[in-house]
Amino acid sequence: MSATASLKRLMPSDIRALKGTAPVVVLTAYTTPVAKLADPACDVLLVGDSLGMVLHGLPSTLGVTMEMMILHGQAVMRGSDRALVVIDMPFASYEESPAQAFRNAARIMAETGAGAVKLEGGVHMRETIAFLVARGIPVMAHIGLTPQSVNTLGGYKVQGKGADAARLMADAQAVAEAGAFSVVLEKVPAGLAGEISRALPIPTIGIGAGVACDGQVLVVDDMLGLFSDFKPKFVKRYAELGRTAAEAVAAYAAEVRAKRFPAPEHSFFDEANK
Ligand SMILES: Nc1nc(=O)c2c([nH]1)NC[C@@H]1CN(c3ccc(C(=O)N[C@@H](CCC(=O)O)C(=O)O)cc3)CN21
Ligand SMILES: CC(C)C(=O)C(=O)O
Ligand SMILES: [Mg+2]
């Protein structure tokens, strides 16, 4: 993040306009330091509700609260000045009614300054997405594997296989028609994701949805090798920071125990009192 915010931040309309020109690069970010390092390379920083599992040790995303999303959203805004920041609406903050969704989305926008929210659901969220967009809140949709519905989906399985393909296409068409500026496709067969991407006027952002999507997203801790509780097939590790960090911690512990740390160069001395 530069001290003088010279460049204008990307807006949902800019992301929408990338369709057919350049792939949309999305990573999650939950903190200021990670936002600082990801902002120059990414188009969108997603404050995902995956932060509940990755940062807070929750067993699923269902326990994530509005307060958690706003706190981490504020941290990511402070660490970025170029990428569009999109904040996940947490479980039970939008499903009840369009009015409930607007109240909570407006609070997220007002308290963080982020440019858009994301919510899970297709055909059944059509009315809610249209309600938010009509009232000034840009929405990124999320269909396919929607982790907040893990209990009704029966696990983190591939979605849209066989006869379910038509239903997923209907979800995609519904969120686009409702006014979403982009849609995440999670754990969808690559062929179907390509078909959806060609059919929609808005960019599709894939995670486990193949290379034919208009953009890609990964959880940053997964691709850096920092989160190792599970490794889905769709994750590629671009670094092994978890291993590097564990080795550094072990070296520190050994040096403290051996009285090799701190060395004189890490210590202070008073020449008057030796
Ligand atoms: N760190 C992280 N990365 C994610 O991609 C992610 C989250 N957390 N939390 C929210 C959701 C949940 N997601 C998931 C969770 C599990 C699988 C999955 O493929 N699970 C495998 C087991 C993988 C393993 O344990 O190695 C499965 O068969 O269910 C996929 C996406 C995607 N999202
Ligand atoms: C993986 C992305 C799409 C997400 O929803 C999250 O990080 O919560
Ligand atoms: Mg999410």
Side-chain angles (χ1 to χ4, degrees):
M1 176 159 98
S2 63
T4 53
S6 47
L7 293 168
K8 196 164 67 69
R9 217 185 248 283
L10 293 172
M11 301 183 73
S13 52
D14 299 316
I15 301 306
R16 162 73 186 75
L18 288 175
K19 176 119 185 163
T21 68
V24 185
V25 180
V26 186
L27 272 180
T28 67
Y30 315 128
T31 63
T32 302
V34 171
K36 278 184 185 173
L37 71 87
D39 184 70
C42 295
D43 301 311
V44 177
L45 298 180
L46 173 66
V47 185
D49 60 348
S50 52
L51 65 82
M53 298 169 72
V54 174
L55 295 187
H56 297 277
L58 291 171
S60 75
T61 57
L62 276 75
V64 175
T65 64
M66 281 285 294
E67 286 67 32
M68 290 162 78
M69 297 312 300
I70 287 169
L71 194 71
H72 289 288
Q74 290 166 337
V76 168
M77 286 298 292
R78 284 181 217 119
S80 63
D81 61 17
R82 176 188 172 276
L84 171 68
V85 174
V86 178
I87 303 190
D88 256 352
M89 297 198 70
F91 177 66
S93 73
Y94 60 96
E95 299 92 323
E96 197 176 320
S97 65
Q100 184 214 21
F102 179 77
R103 191 179 327 118
N104 285 313
R107 191 179 152 211
I108 289 171
M109 302 288 285
E111 294 184 23
T112 66
V117 299
K118 179 164 81 56
L119 56 80
E120 296 182 6
V123 167
H124 65 292
M125 278 296 136
R126 161 189 240 134
E127 193 198 344
T128 294
I129 293 169
F131 193 91
L132 296 186
V133 173
R135 286 158 183 76
I137 300 180
V139 175
M140 179 181 280
H142 181 163
I143 63 171
L145 170 55
T146 47
Q148 293 173 12
S149 299
V150 61
N151 293 302
T152 47
L153 292 174
Y156 298 106
K157 302 182 218 168
V158 178
Q159 302 294 310
K161 281 187 163 181
D164 288 345
R167 218 169 343 180
L168 200 63
M169 177 62 85
D171 284 334
Q173 297 280 14
V175 300
E177 282 165 19
F181 70 91
S182 177
V183 57
V184 169
L185 305 182
E186 178 163 353
K187 266 190 114 165
V188 173
L192 175 61
E195 245 183 81
I196 290 172
S197 301
R198 287 187 290 277
L200 291 199
I202 58 172
T204 60
I205 311 295
I207 174 165
V211 78
C213 293
D214 300 300
Q216 298 292 330
V217 59
L218 282 177
V219 168
V220 70
D221 300 71
D222 292 345
M223 56 88 73
L224 293 177
L226 274 171
F227 182 82
S228 49
D229 286 11
F230 60 79
K231 190 199 172 293
K233 183 184 180 187
F234 58 70
V235 172
K236 178 176 176 179
R237 291 229 180 130
Y238 287 84
E240 292 290 348
L241 298 194
R243 191 206 299 151
T244 304
E247 286 168 3
V249 167
Y252 163 74
E255 289 200 355
V256 168
R257 293 194 175 105
K259 305 289 279 181
R260 282 200 304 270
F261 177 84
E265 66 264 33
H266 308 116
S267 305
F268 303 94
F269 301 96
D270 178 356
E271 295 308 320
N273 281 301
K274 285 206 229 189

